Amino acid sequence: MPLSALRNFPLILALFFGLAGSGWKAQSPPQQTQSFKSASGAVAISARLQAIAAAGKLADLYWPDFSDYRRDFEWAYESSNFSLIWLNNGQPTQQALAVIQALQASWQKGLIPDDYDASRWQGRIAALRSSTNPDQEARFDAALTVCAMRYISDLHIGRVNPTHFKFGIDIEQKKYNLPPFITHDLIHAASMPALLADVEPPYNGYKRTQIALQRYLQLAAKGDGPPLTQVQKAVTLGDAYSGIPALVERLKLLGDLPQTAVVDANSRIYTGTLVDGVKLFQSRHGLTADGKLGAETIRQLNVPLAQRVRQLQDALERWRWLPPSFPQPPIVVNIP
């Protein structure tokens, strides 16, 4: 070592120990610290998603066990190297919010909202807005993936496999390849309603049933009104009937009697206007449209609207069992 360097060596040591004694520490550049946090967060998210995939369960869900979708879930996240697909900077993407909106409105499709955690999403979104951590983000992302898969499958092929009820219908060939649909179509959808509409059956009967369901959901919210009085003998035109006020109310509620129809609600006589309304009701419900107010017609008029809603929901389920196309024109029989 040169003599000049040796002369300065005590000064260098003094400076070094002086700085150390004053508490001075080398600081990493802010961007390096942030990068380290991001990298460590990504590693934690990846590990959490892999653990959820291996378990096939997520306690956050209304139905925690998703083992029937476990392989689809795993394949979906393998395509993204087990990184988040629904969150950006800790917040839901536009597509994520659109999917959540569809899950919350699933009752309009005749489905059960709790199957897709419909009532829980607002709380989860609010929690993300207040603070986030890798585990929370991974659980949110995983929950949305599972619920989206369940919703798409139920909307396309139904909630229940018809073979369980010994129906000779094979839905296996209808099943979607869910992983690419989620990771390629859903998370990049420009119009979520349009994409999800393509998932549903293409039949006009299905679409009409869905419209009827919306109407009966609105009617059920208004209440059934007073029940009609049962009869021993069929009431015909000109006969006296004590249940005329309830009949007028029910026919107008169901739309079989125009709101503008002039009927004396206090009358006890079965008039022609009411006969026409009853005929329309009978025709819509597969009854003989003779206008006679018999026991079966009154029974059908008294069916609770909530039960009609359930019938329409079941009808939509059966529509979803059908194949997307037929090799030749089918013959459709309305057995009910």
Side-chain angles (χ1 to χ4, degrees):
M1 180 180 291
L3 184 60
S4 59
L6 288 173
R7 288 172 181 167
N8 293 329
F9 189 70
L11 177 60
I12 294 171
L13 288 176
L15 286 171
F16 176 81
F17 285 109
L19 289 170
S22 66
W24 177 86
K25 294 181 180 178
Q27 298 293 322
S28 299
Q31 61 271 25
Q32 291 184 7
T33 303
Q34 185 62 38
S35 298
F36 175 76
K37 289 181 179 179
S38 299
S40 62
V43 170
I45 287 170
S46 177
R48 188 70 170 98
L49 289 172
Q50 291 183 61
I52 293 171
K57 293 182 180 179
L58 181 60
D60 300 36
L61 295 170
Y62 185 87
W63 300 109
D65 188 338
F66 65 93
S67 54
D68 48 345
Y69 291 95
R70 193 191 71 77
R71 286 299 300 155
D72 288 333
F73 180 93
E74 189 174 48
W75 290 340
Y77 279 103
E78 281 177 350
S79 67
S80 67
N81 294 319
F82 286 93
S83 61
L84 302 173
I85 61 177
W86 299 108
L87 296 176
N88 186 14
N89 293 325
Q91 298 303 309
T93 63
Q94 178 182 352
Q95 287 78 9
L97 294 175
V99 170
I100 289 171
Q101 185 177 14
L103 302 182
Q104 292 170 331
S106 57
W107 57 274
Q108 297 179 356
K109 305 292 185 180
L111 300 173
I112 301 175
D114 278 341
D115 286 350
Y116 324 106
D117 285 23
S119 62
R120 302 185 178 194
W121 289 111
Q122 289 308 314
R124 290 170 180 165
I125 293 172
L128 285 176
R129 287 173 180 165
S130 60
S131 64
T132 60
N133 59 66
D135 183 72
Q136 180 185 9
E137 293 179 6
R139 288 186 290 107
F140 180 99
D141 213 79
L144 188 51
T145 297
V146 172
C147 289
M149 286 182 172
R150 286 172 170 170
Y151 177 71
I152 292 163
S153 178
D154 292 351
L155 195 62
H156 186 59
I157 62 175
R159 298 177 61 249
V160 179
N161 191 326
T163 58
H164 294 164
F165 298 97
K166 303 188 183 305
F167 281 92
I169 300 175
D170 181 16
I171 62 170
E172 292 299 319
Q173 58 184 335
K174 279 189 66 181
K175 287 185 176 180
Y176 265 131
N177 189 359
L178 287 172
F181 185 81
I182 294 284
T183 58
H184 295 155
D185 299 335
L186 212 61
I187 67 173
H188 299 121
S191 172
M192 193 64 67
L195 178 63
L196 292 177
D198 288 340
V199 172
E200 299 183 76
Y203 307 113
N204 289 330
Y206 173 85
K207 295 173 183 177
R208 290 195 301 269
T209 304
Q210 193 173 117
I211 292 172
L213 174 61
Q214 307 313 309
R215 180 165 172 269
Y216 271 84
L217 284 167
Q218 295 172 355
L219 294 178
K222 297 178 181 179
D224 292 317
L228 274 67
T229 305
Q230 280 289 357
V231 295
Q232 297 297 322
K233 179 183 177 182
V235 178
T236 59
L237 178 64
D239 288 347
Y241 175 56
S242 61
I244 293 295
L247 177 61
V248 171
E249 182 176 339
R250 179 55 65 95
L251 290 176
K252 285 190 173 182
L253 177 66
L254 298 177
D256 296 303
L257 187 66
Q259 296 295 324
T260 56
V262 179
V263 181
D264 184 0
N266 295 318
S267 172
R268 295 297 185 266
I269 303 301
Y270 188 45
T271 64
T273 302
L274 291 176
V275 171
D276 291 339
V278 168
K279 284 182 178 180
L280 180 56
F281 175 87
Q282 290 171 328
S283 176
R284 292 195 305 108
H285 290 80
L287 303 171
T288 302
D290 55 11
K292 295 179 180 180
L293 201 58
E296 180 60 18
T297 297
I298 291 177
R299 190 183 72 82
Q300 291 293 337
L301 281 163
N302 281 334
V303 170
L305 292 170
Q307 184 174 332
R308 295 295 188 204
V309 166
R310 185 61 183 169
Q311 289 174 332
L312 290 165
Q313 290 171 333
D314 290 344
L316 288 174
E317 174 74 5
R318 292 181 176 91
W319 275 112
R320 294 180 184 119
W321 294 348
L322 297 180
S325 59
F326 295 88
Q328 56 190 8
I331 297 175
V332 180
V333 181
N334 186 355
I335 295 176

